[in-house]
Amino acid sequence: MAPLSAGGKAFCVVYAALGLPASLALMATLRHCLLPLLSCPGAWVAVRWQLAPARAALLQALGLGLLVAGTFVLLPALLLWGLQGNDSLLGAIYFCFGSLSTIGLGDLLPGRDRDLNPVLYHLGQIALLEAEP
């Protein structure tokens, strides 16, 4: 989907010009608010296991990366896999990663030509903001 009119294109430019700095400000605020909360377990592990600060930071980054990957890729993939039934888990993970990283190639469309309940199919389209072909 892309804007066709000059007004639509101008709106997208203005939206991006305002939305990107707003997103960065939101991320900075979330980091400021969540850093003390998320650094406590890392500090406890570093003291408990007597880790060097660099190794503790690496362990904390790994833990947060796994938490984010599990929350935003693995859980939706498991849900998609459970709803589709006849797709592979790897295909569901591939779809979720491709959709989240905005490199979706359009080679996978969940629920298309399957025995999926029409209500679930349309909810999936809304959730993915997928355009009808």
Side-chain angles (χ1 to χ4, degrees), residues 80-93:
L80 183 64
W81 181 51
L83 286 174
Q84 297 252 226
N86 55 354
D87 263 351
S88 68
L89 180 59
L90 181 60
I93 291 171

Side-chain angles (χ1 to χ4, degrees), residues 41-53 55-56 58-60 62:
W44 181 83
V45 168
V47 169
R48 178 91 171 148
W49 291 351
Q50 299 175 350
L51 297 175
R55 195 171 290 266
L58 181 64
L59 185 64
Q60 184 179 13
L62 179 67

Side-chain angles (χ1 to χ4, degrees), residues 25-71:
L26 175 67
M27 293 302 288
T29 303
L30 285 174
R31 180 197 164 276
H32 178 73
C33 293
L34 293 177
L35 188 61
L37 177 70
L38 296 176
S39 61
C40 288
W44 181 83
V45 168
V47 169
R48 178 91 171 148
W49 291 351
Q50 299 175 350
L51 297 175
R55 195 171 290 266
L58 181 64
L59 185 64
Q60 184 179 13
L62 179 67
L64 288 175
L66 289 173
L67 178 69
V68 167
T71 302

